[in-house]
Amino acid sequence: MNAQLNPLQQQAQTLSESVTTPIPGSTKIYLEGSRPDLRVPMREIALSPTPKLFGEDVNHPFAVYDTSGPYTDGAVSIDLLKGLPAVRAAWIAERGDTEVLPGLSSAFGRTREADPALDGVRFAHRLPPRRALAGGNVSQMHYARRGIITPEMEYIAIRENQRIDAITEAHLLRQHRGQNFGASIPARITPEFVRSEVARGRAVIPANINHPELEPMIIGRNFLTKVNANIGNSAVSSGIAEEVEKLVWSIRWGADTVMDLSTGKNIHETREWILRNSPVPIGTVPIYQALEKVDGRAEELTWDIFRDTLIEQAEQGVDYFTIHAGVLLRYVPLTAKRVTGIVSRGGSIMAKWCLAHHKENFLYTHFEEICEIMKAYDVSFSLGDGLRPGSIADANDEAQFGELETLGELTQIAWKHDVQTIIEGPGHVPMHLIKENMDKQLRECGEAPFYTLGPLTTDIAPGYDHITSAIGAAMIGWYGTAMLCYVTPKEHLGLPNKQDVREGLMAYKIAAHAADLAKGHPGAQARDNALSKARFEFRWEDQFNLGLDPERAREYHDETMPKQAHKVAHFCSMCGPHFCSMKITQDVREYADRQEVEQGMAEKSKEFLAQGAEVYRPE
Amino acid sequence: MNAQLNPLQQQAQTLSESVTTPIPGSTKIYLEGSRPDLRVPMREIALSPTPKLFGEDVNHPFAVYDTSGPYTDGAVSIDLLKGLPAVRAAWIAERGDTEVLPGLSSAFGRTREADPALDGVRFAHRLPPRRALAGGNVSQMHYARRGIITPEMEYIAIRENQRIDAITEAHLLRQHRGQNFGASIPARITPEFVRSEVARGRAVIPANINHPELEPMIIGRNFLTKVNANIGNSAVSSGIAEEVEKLVWSIRWGADTVMDLSTGKNIHETREWILRNSPVPIGTVPIYQALEKVDGRAEELTWDIFRDTLIEQAEQGVDYFTIHAGVLLRYVPLTAKRVTGIVSRGGSIMAKWCLAHHKENFLYTHFEEICEIMKAYDVSFSLGDGLRPGSIADANDEAQFGELETLGELTQIAWKHDVQTIIEGPGHVPMHLIKENMDKQLRECGEAPFYTLGPLTTDIAPGYDHITSAIGAAMIGWYGTAMLCYVTPKEHLGLPNKQDVREGLMAYKIAAHAADLAKGHPGAQARDNALSKARFEFRWEDQFNLGLDPERAREYHDETMPKQAHKVAHFCSMCGPHFCSMKITQDVREYADRQEVEQGMAEKSKEFLAQGAEVYRPE
């Protein structure tokens, strides 16, 4: 059988086996919704009982939000050559508002499909594309505004609640009251709440009808803060199998969406492989591919080439498009005196085009036509910030904020068409200027979800920009950003490898969760409480498994205390077995109990004396 | 010669060679003060000229604050067996208020010195201890309050200004106006400003008279934010040579002070090796050693044992002591209902003692006697937060804030004795509760410098707590914390190795600098501007060398673009050579210039018309 597979297919088959390692200590579970084909995945972490020393407690299994898809389900057999099961296919079909097309609508797509030279790299099980019936609108926003609760919305409601109602232990639900800067987070997420948030544009469900493999998720300030990971090959690196592996690797570490930023050859084919194997929304920057089509000469871009690219990608199933429609001709000269000019690739492509033709950005002038395409497939806008600051010096300047105002104007147009929209944000911003970004975005864009890259809070740490930016990301997440675009340690220096993707994601899962805690998101603290309890009770395995990266935690513990016996030791490497801070708490608890008893007795005694010290009181 | 050295001495000699690698692209320079023996070290980074494409610029060498001591000075020969040169010795002696003692005053110190079994681990060149003349006070605060500007203060003023006045390029000095929450940061630091800040207790110069090797530095909210690194062996790990290596490694990566938290055997001897080879202030937690002296039985601790330990360490030259004098008996039961009880080692030792004796903490009842010892050697207080929260759940509770109030009361007593004082802070705190900590600390402790551990903003990422805590550290630094105690990736899991120390320090140098930027510290942005300019102009080597970790940055760049030619390439791995965002800025600049010229011409033409369009105007 293998003999018939080409090298890429062989790679994919090998990969199929390697990407299905379950996460240590966890089991995949599914919560069923109102219909049997609505099964929301979660990852359940098994916990051990509290040791006697700390008071014997059961510690029920703890379920966490799970982005990793079927890959971590031991019961599912993965074949990257075939793609994932199409969990949404029936929901899309039964709405009866779409048609299956006889073939691809884009000229470029048809050319690629007909080219025999691409047989070796083409994904074999391409689905026939689907499109809204003529003049129709299949966006989740359109349904929401007509009062329809889609299965996607119900799925999301279950997913966002993270099975919090199954938690019976009061101490796990104990949580600080948050500070949410005007967000409207309910105690429980209902399908109706999801619908209403999508209807008013405050949340987005990126869910192209040509991406039925998708496990629905939502982006909005009143939901859990999300994280995006960028992957993609470039002119100087990486192939298709490597990108698929990065995708699976990204979702394993918690990426809620993945952007494919490929710029090299075979972009079209790489994207197909990624989409067919992705349970998370995939975003792209279509202008990157359009630029490839004109051999990198930005001035030769045309609306027709771009339009064909949008349709090509929409029919593959891309869930959101970054569109730099806010880079207006008049803003371009405002960047001339910057320390780092225009650093967004899309932004500079459009700036170059505007200057070359001395005309307004064609993405802006054709914006309503773009909306027509978006609604026929339910592709969401991610309005790009082409003029975002590339250095601390350039933060919050006229160019950046001018563009943001235009993005606000475009949001209104998109919403007029019931097209879902998120807004991209910076970039490099010192801490004290971050909130101004958030406040202005909320004001200008009518609370459309903000999606920021970091921001990086200083420029002086190349090699550590996952950290410079996690600081800014946590803060802006707290202030209201709905999704954080990760930054890896390779930022500014090179292309991320697998380990960089993991490092970047961990930094951003931390930022997102810190933001949820600070906002007071219902139930957000339960995992912190469970982990801290495990830590305090020296349940080492539980501490590792409740963490964001069980493998790393175990590995680090092994370095100092390698023996398996140490995993159940009631001490740590800081103090050693001789003296232990944690153990003293037992003394403290006994003391406090005794004190309470004594106080109780003293009060009783006082009461007794006050009542005349009679042992037998007359009734 | 080597034949006479024991194994430790041989290790130290080998180490002497390995720890003196200069930092790439940098040269050690010294700025001379008002006297020839006042030479303030800085690290000067050589820069290359701007390539023609970007407009040809000179780019003068850039000088940065340097904590690395003589180790990175190619002109100094290092011998760990002898210790560093005593740069402050003359200053201390010439003040004429101290005496050289005939021998160690502490009983324990004398026992160790007399023990022939310790010959193999003892540092051979111990200095004779020095103490204030009877009844005297040799603290920098005492001098400051009498109007004396010490050489230490002048040294610090030069150091803090970071040679900013030598920067002539306007774009490097361009900086956002900060938000400093009531700090009083002057445009330039003068020796008189240093004196006044120390006098009012708002800043501390940790500088024991028995640590003449020290390069003076200051901790206070109106100065650059500082970073502390913890090292130290424990019952389960590491020897003397390893700890000295960690010290040198820490200061190489920017540690402003180092705490020796050793708990194993030979603590006394390890400390001596560290102090004699340390150009940065060394802090300790004396109760750790006192506990060793009573074989780990907290209830057997006595004031006499503790007092002898203070004197022992003060005469070795420890610059600041963490003293958990705020753990009062009445606060202890308040921790009983916590998720993680008491997690501070010092805090739990004192809690145990209090409970066992049902008496008030002896550090509290003997506090004025401790002050007498501190002022005889100029040891600074670091008032420990023994009841700091060990989990998000326990943040900002009654126990924590009760102790903080007591630390405020103790600060007033210390100040009455002219003893320098900093206050330790948490711990684990969600983002939205961080500012309350800072505000309360400033209020309760009269602006005495705050010194916080993180805080960690979530509990769910064991293995990544340098990041969970760098977020909190950056924020609390912005709000006013003067020094940030680093957290390494091994926190909660094991003892940090060299790489962990580097990771922890990088995360914290980022946090400290991000805080300085947000506070608007004068000149803080100059390095960001210089690096961003280098980045934008594809001066790769300059970008690496201006960064916090030039080696890591170069290594990462090498991974994608390994060739030396790539280090001068005018493109990066993101876009490749074909299309480059950065290059487009040149077009933008030309366009903006042309536009300006055209606008100028249009205005001239309008003016001309307005004046009647006469080519020759009558005068």
Side-chain angles (χ1 to χ4, degrees), chain B residues 388-614:
Chain B
R388 69 166 178 267
S391 57
I392 291 294
D394 297 340
N396 295 21
D397 73 354
E398 228 185 327
Q400 184 201 335
F401 281 168
E403 183 185 25
L404 183 55
E405 286 158 25
T406 300
L407 299 186
E409 178 199 319
L410 295 169
T411 301
Q412 293 304 327
I413 299 173
W415 284 354
K416 193 184 72 186
H417 289 270
D418 293 354
V419 174
Q420 306 192 88
T421 304
I422 57 182
I423 311 292
E424 295 185 11
H428 293 237
V429 185
M431 281 191 286
H432 67 301
L433 299 183
I434 292 176
K435 192 149 189 301
E436 187 183 4
N437 277 274
M438 189 70 232
D439 293 344
K440 187 171 174 75
Q441 191 273 344
L442 290 171
R443 199 170 56 241
E444 300 289 344
C445 306
E447 287 190 80
F450 204 23
Y451 167 33
T452 60
L453 180 72
L456 287 71
T457 53
T458 164
D459 304 338
I460 68 165
Y464 298 86
D465 279 327
H466 60 311
I467 300 178
T468 64
S469 67
I471 295 167
M475 292 173 72
I476 206 163
W478 172 26
Y479 301 152
T481 283
M483 184 156 77
L484 307 169
C485 181
Y486 89 162
V487 170
T488 76
K490 287 280 169 62
E491 184 76 13
H492 300 120
L493 298 170
L495 292 172
N497 60 26
K498 268 178 73 180
Q499 278 316 313
D500 297 319
V501 168
R502 179 182 182 180
E503 299 292 334
L505 274 164
M506 284 301 102
Y508 274 70
K509 294 304 280 186
I510 288 167
H513 185 71
D516 290 339
L517 281 178
K519 284 163 79 176
H521 203 93
Q525 201 183 303
R527 189 168 177 182
D528 296 74
N529 293 349
L531 191 144
S532 289
K533 183 169 184 277
R535 177 176 284 157
F536 196 67
E537 294 171 355
F538 291 104
R539 288 184 281 122
W540 290 103
E541 297 283 351
D542 292 354
Q543 186 192 158
F544 305 153
N545 293 340
L546 282 163
L548 289 176
D549 186 345
E551 294 165 37
R552 172 75 50 94
R554 182 171 292 101
E555 198 182 296
Y556 281 179
H557 190 259
D558 283 350
E559 267 183 48
T560 319
M561 312 230 291
K563 295 184 200 142
Q564 189 49 38
H566 288 150
K567 300 292 177 285
V568 291
H570 292 165
F571 64 89
C572 68
S573 53
M574 172 68 193
C575 298
H578 203 56
F579 174 86
C580 168
S581 308
M582 302 254 187
K583 277 189 188 167
I584 285 177
T585 296
Q586 273 320 100
D587 297 345
V588 173
R589 287 183 179 162
E590 280 159 27
Y591 175 80
D593 284 351
R594 214 164 49 231
Q595 214 185 29
E596 224 168 79
V597 170
E598 278 167 20
Q599 220 162 50
M601 283 182 38
E603 261 160 43
K604 280 266 176 254
S605 140
K606 217 166 106 187
E607 199 182 299
F608 175 72
L609 289 169
Q611 283 160 358
E614 287 174 25

Side-chain angles (χ1 to χ4, degrees), chain A residues 113 158 160 182 217 241-242 323 325 361 396 422 447 559 606:
Chain A
E113 200 158 54
I158 296 170
E160 289 281 326
M217 54 78 70
E242 215 174 299
I323 305 269
N361 182 337
N396 295 20
I422 57 182
E447 286 190 82
E559 267 183 49
K606 219 165 106 185

Side-chain angles (χ1 to χ4, degrees), chain A residues 181-382:
Chain A
F181 302 103
S184 312
I185 310 168
R188 292 295 175 273
I189 305 292
T190 60
E192 167 54 24
F193 180 73
V194 174
R195 187 205 60 75
S196 69
E197 288 291 291
V198 172
R200 64 178 286 177
R202 205 152 62 177
V204 157
I205 301 173
N208 186 323
I209 53 168
N210 289 310
H211 188 195
E213 301 88 352
L214 181 82
E215 296 176 349
M217 54 78 70
I218 196 162
I219 303 165
R221 70 187 291 215
N222 296 320
F223 299 92
L224 294 164
T225 307
K226 303 303 188 297
V227 166
N228 172 72
N230 292 333
I231 61 170
N233 61 355
S234 88
V236 295
S237 176
S238 97
I240 291 179
E242 215 174 299
E243 293 311 312
V244 174
E245 190 181 10
K246 272 192 210 157
L247 161 75
V248 181
W249 185 250
S250 299
I251 60 178
R252 180 181 181 85
W253 298 111
D256 292 287
T257 76
V258 167
M259 288 195 80
D260 172 18
L261 302 184
S262 294
T263 58
K265 59 174 184 170
N266 302 333
I267 311 186
H268 178 87
E269 288 69 28
T270 306
R271 189 185 307 122
E272 190 73 29
W273 279 90
I274 289 175
L275 276 159
R276 298 293 71 82
N277 287 294
S278 176
V280 304
I282 297 295
T284 62
V285 189
I287 202 83
Y288 290 1
Q289 190 186 4
L291 188 72
E292 301 280 336
K293 293 178 182 175
V294 293
D295 293 325
R297 287 184 289 271
E299 59 279 17
E300 293 185 13
L301 283 166
T302 63
W303 162 242
D304 281 339
I305 290 169
F306 188 74
R307 187 179 170 282
D308 194 70
T309 308
L310 292 184
I311 293 171
E312 171 203 343
Q313 298 198 10
E315 293 190 354
Q316 288 188 296
V318 173
D319 302 287
Y320 61 94
F321 286 155
T322 293
I323 305 269
H324 297 92
V327 180
L328 301 191
L329 182 60
R330 68 175 181 273
Y331 299 144
V332 174
L334 300 179
T335 66
K337 302 249 188 276
R338 280 179 161 187
V339 170
T340 48
I342 301 176
V343 296
S344 149
R345 203 163 176 270
S348 55
I349 294 168
M350 294 322 299
K352 175 105 183 172
W353 190 92
C354 290
L355 294 191
H357 297 274
H358 199 82
K359 271 192 185 164
E360 195 48 279
N361 182 337
F362 67 80
L363 303 173
Y364 180 79
T365 56
H366 289 273
F367 195 73
E368 302 225 28
E369 288 160 86
I370 301 176
C371 290
E372 295 298 337
I373 298 169
M374 307 297 263
K375 65 193 187 195
Y377 303 96
D378 196 9
V379 184
S380 300
F381 273 117
S382 183

Side-chain angles (χ1 to χ4, degrees), chain A residues 77-96:
Chain A
S77 93
I78 294 291
D79 183 352
L80 296 176
L81 295 175
K82 294 232 169 69
L84 297 179
V87 289
R88 286 171 66 228
W91 310 345
I92 295 162
E94 73 191 24
R95 288 197 271 262

Side-chain angles (χ1 to χ4, degrees), chain B residues 202-281:
Chain B
R202 204 152 62 178
V204 157
I205 301 173
N208 186 323
I209 54 169
N210 288 310
H211 189 195
E213 302 87 351
L214 181 82
E215 296 177 349
M217 55 76 70
I218 196 161
I219 302 164
R221 68 187 291 216
N222 296 320
F223 299 92
L224 293 164
T225 307
K226 303 303 188 296
V227 166
N228 172 73
N230 292 333
I231 61 170
N233 61 354
S234 89
V236 294
S237 176
S238 92
I240 291 179
E242 215 175 299
E243 293 311 311
V244 174
E245 190 181 9
K246 273 191 211 158
L247 161 75
V248 181
W249 184 250
S250 299
I251 60 177
R252 180 181 180 84
W253 298 111
D256 292 288
T257 76
V258 167
M259 289 195 80
D260 172 18
L261 302 184
S262 294
T263 59
K265 58 174 186 170
N266 302 332
I267 311 187
H268 178 88
E269 289 68 28
T270 306
R271 189 186 307 122
E272 190 73 31
W273 278 90
I274 289 174
L275 274 159
R276 298 293 72 80
N277 287 295
S278 175
V280 303

Side-chain angles (χ1 to χ4, degrees), chain A residues 176-177 295 340 345 352 392 432 458-460 464 490 528 532 536 548-549 559 575 578 587 589, chain B residues 176-177 295 338 340 345 352 392 432 458-460 464 490 528 532 536 548-549 559 575 578 587:
Chain A
H176 296 286
R177 193 199 169 95
D295 293 325
T340 48
R345 203 163 176 270
K352 175 105 183 172
I392 291 294
H432 67 300
T458 164
D459 303 339
I460 68 166
Y464 299 86
K490 287 280 168 62
D528 296 76
S532 289
F536 196 66
L548 290 176
D549 186 345
E559 267 183 49
C575 299
H578 204 56
D587 297 346
R589 287 183 179 162
Chain B
H176 295 287
R177 191 199 172 97
D295 292 324
R338 280 179 160 187
T340 49
R345 207 165 172 265
K352 175 106 184 171
I392 291 294
H432 67 301
T458 164
D459 304 338
I460 68 165
Y464 298 86
K490 287 280 169 62
D528 296 74
S532 289
F536 196 67
L548 289 176
D549 186 345
E559 267 183 48
C575 298
H578 203 56
D587 297 345

